[in-house]
Amino acid sequence: MIASNKLPGLLIALGIAVGAWLVVRLVGMLPPPVGSLPLSMMLVAILAGLVLAGPANRRPAWKPGLDLARGPVLKIAVALIGLRLSLADLGQLGAQALPLVLIVVLVGLGVTLLLARLAGAAPRLGILLAAGTSICGASAIAATAPGLKARSDEICYAIACIALIGLTATVLYPWALNHLFDTPEQIGFVMGVAIHDTAQVTAAAALHEQAWNSEGTLVAATVAKLMRNAGMLILIPGLVWAYSRRHEAGSAKVSLPLFIVAFIVLSGVRSGVDALLGPDHALWNQLLVAVAQVSMFAFAMAMAALATTVQPSELKAHGWKPAVAAVTSAAVMFGVAVWWV
């Protein structure tokens, strides 16, 4: 049962997702060139969420449901992607992505810390920006903040930077990468290591698959991003420890996110059912198609909810220089990923 206080915001997110689906279907029915535009429900959902950011900020009753959409609903959507590949596929993609993940995360971490310091950002803000940029977006910021005893203005500033950069990348990277690479796996790997939040990565990959009818981008992007997320277990305690050497701080206890475990478990389910029934079993494939559709709607809901949190006014708190440092670092990570792949 969903609590009644969560229904208003959840229905807003669901309404945006359904509306985005209808817009894409209606545009696709139009004659060229409009009907042939590479449009996806992810992009429409993001734009609608940005439009509703102001009203959402003024309506506290929406917050519980929107939090549910960008939290548990998103995690369920990510976990369901596990059904799209077997354990063998997961291992193969993971082995291909590992060197790229390591190099981009380390470069992003070092560059962000350096540029934030040169920009005059407070040490805690610099670490929050580095965690969000190089590891796992808002989730990494939220996991790092208690250990640093970060102030609310520092947390909001870092999250606002990451959200704006990530949403911009979600819209622009699919088009840019489609011109730079030939295979969806290459495009997915770059998205997985160069876009910040899990929701943004999966939205960009889904946008690419839907707009260019290219299967494989989402799986590759998700594998790369989940491997990057796992870096929280080591990097966040390390960042807090480094800060605490010079400043009094708390502790950073980070556990393996359950949606990563669920992703791997569902990948095992895919492997087991494929072995039992065969990969061409009609009913099993129909179920997989239905689950994929549910996952796409859940992603659209999560991205709409995430877009409503973007409040540019929060960037005024610490000036523009740390934000420029974060943007520059994101560009460097994208460049390194493209060069490596």
Side-chain angles (χ1 to χ4, degrees):
M1 288 289 292
I2 298 175
S4 59
N5 68 322
K6 293 181 171 62
L7 283 177
L10 195 63
L11 290 175
I12 291 293
L14 179 60
I16 292 175
V18 173
W21 177 78
L22 288 173
V23 167
V24 173
R25 292 293 297 269
L26 291 174
V27 170
M29 295 170 62
L30 296 175
V34 177
S36 59
L37 289 174
L39 190 65
S40 82
M41 62 186 295
M42 298 297 166
L43 176 58
V44 177
I46 290 170
L47 295 176
L50 290 173
V51 171
L52 290 177
N57 193 42
R58 295 189 296 270
R59 289 170 172 80
W62 292 6
K63 188 177 186 302
L66 292 175
D67 286 343
L68 181 65
R70 56 182 165 254
V73 170
L74 168 64
K75 292 172 182 177
I76 290 171
V78 173
L80 289 176
I81 298 175
L83 287 173
R84 297 183 59 167
L85 73 166
S86 66
L87 287 175
D89 294 331
L90 177 60
Q92 181 180 5
L93 288 172
Q96 294 174 6
L98 181 59
L100 175 64
V101 171
L102 291 175
I103 187 66
V104 173
V105 167
L106 292 177
V107 168
L109 197 62
V111 169
T112 309
L113 288 172
L114 174 62
L115 293 180
R117 183 174 181 179
L118 293 176
R124 285 184 304 208
L125 178 58
I127 292 175
L128 291 177
L129 289 172
T133 300
S134 62
I135 307 172
C136 188
S139 299
I141 293 171
T144 308
L148 301 177
K149 295 183 179 179
R151 301 193 309 265
S152 60
D153 60 298
E154 295 170 328
I155 298 170
C156 288
Y157 184 96
I159 289 177
C161 284
I162 296 305
L164 286 172
I165 295 169
L167 287 173
T168 302
T170 300
V171 174
L172 296 181
Y173 283 8
W175 277 267
L177 293 172
N178 193 64
H179 292 289
L180 290 173
F181 296 105
D182 298 325
T183 69
E185 287 77 16
Q186 292 174 315
I187 294 172
F189 284 153
V190 175
M191 289 178 176
V193 299
I195 302 177
H196 300 329
D197 269 322
T198 301
Q200 296 159 351
V201 170
T202 50
L207 190 158
H208 180 264
E209 285 197 346
Q210 294 170 0
W212 282 277
N213 194 26
S214 178
E215 185 177 352
T217 311
L218 183 57
V219 166
T222 302
V223 169
K225 187 65 177 73
L226 294 186
M227 292 180 67
R228 187 173 157 204
N229 290 356
M232 289 194 298
L233 299 173
I234 299 174
L235 293 177
I236 289 178
L239 287 170
V240 173
W241 174 81
Y243 177 83
S244 65
R245 291 182 62 190
R246 296 185 179 181
H247 309 83
E248 182 182 355
S251 62
K253 298 180 180 179
V254 184
S255 59
L256 185 66
L258 289 179
F259 71 93
I260 296 181
V261 177
F263 177 93
I264 297 172
V265 169
L266 289 177
S267 180
V269 170
R270 172 65 184 268
S271 300
V273 176
D274 280 353
L276 182 64
L277 300 178
D280 298 324
H281 191 274
L283 185 59
W284 173 233
N285 283 324
Q286 290 173 8
L287 177 61
L288 292 177
V289 170
V291 169
Q293 292 296 323
V294 170
S295 181
M296 287 301 101
F297 267 90
F299 279 130
M301 291 173 62
M303 286 309 300
L306 182 64
T308 63
T309 66
V310 177
Q311 303 293 334
S313 60
E314 293 176 343
L315 295 176
K316 298 178 181 178
H318 294 272
W320 57 271
K321 290 183 179 179
V324 172
V327 171
T328 304
S329 178
V332 170
M333 291 175 66
F334 178 76
V336 170
V338 170
W339 168 76
W340 184 276
V341 172

